[in-house]
Amino acid sequence: MIRFFLASGAILAGLSVAFGAFATHALRAKLDDRALSIFETGARYQMYHAIALILVALFMSRAELSGTLLTTSGIAFIGGIVLFSGSLYALSLSGVKILGAVAPLGGAGFLIGWACLAIAAFQWKP
């Protein structure tokens, strides 16, 4: 799981940069300010949680923490990115407002990920 989370985090962070550049250069003339802001929020949260995923991988490789908690954290971060950022990208590009209803599920994934990471940190014995 360490390699998977590390590679996934790096790929998702790189995609966040690409999506941000795409929004700035290709979408600025095509989307209104609100849709562009929604897209950029998706990219920003994707980057935050891609970095968090890399941290999970590093903690898994260096610390004697609960593997289950860290694995759950990593999976929750990935699921959160897919649901939260993905729904915001789709909403901003399509204008289909119901897609905004998916974002809170991704937000819940982010919260689960952070909670599992916090619990694992309290269990850490360096």
Side-chain angles (χ1 to χ4, degrees):
M1 289 306 287
I2 294 169
R3 281 189 213 168
F4 175 72
F5 288 158
L6 188 57
S8 296
I11 290 165
L12 289 166
L15 285 172
S16 174
V17 172
F19 292 162
F22 177 67
T24 298
H25 299 292
L27 296 178
R28 187 159 303 280
K30 296 180 181 176
L31 297 179
D32 63 28
D33 288 342
R34 176 78 175 127
L36 192 60
S37 175
I38 290 169
F39 193 95
E40 290 171 344
T41 298
R44 187 172 52 254
Y45 274 75
Q46 180 173 332
M47 178 59 80
Y48 296 154
H49 292 89
I51 293 168
L53 188 56
I54 291 168
L55 288 173
V56 167
L58 293 175
F59 288 142
M60 288 177 87
S61 72
R62 303 290 298 164
E64 294 189 20
L65 297 172
S66 169
T68 301
L69 283 169
L70 291 173
T71 299
T72 301
S73 179
I75 291 169
F77 286 144
I78 292 171
I81 289 169
V82 169
L83 293 173
F84 184 84
S85 296
S87 68
L88 294 185
Y89 297 144
L91 169 63
S92 65
L93 293 172
S94 72
V96 176
K97 298 201 186 290
I98 193 70
L99 292 170
V102 177
L105 298 174
F110 291 153
L111 292 172
I112 291 167
W114 287 113
C116 289
L117 187 56
I119 293 167
F122 280 114
Q123 294 178 355
W124 187 13
K125 294 178 175 87

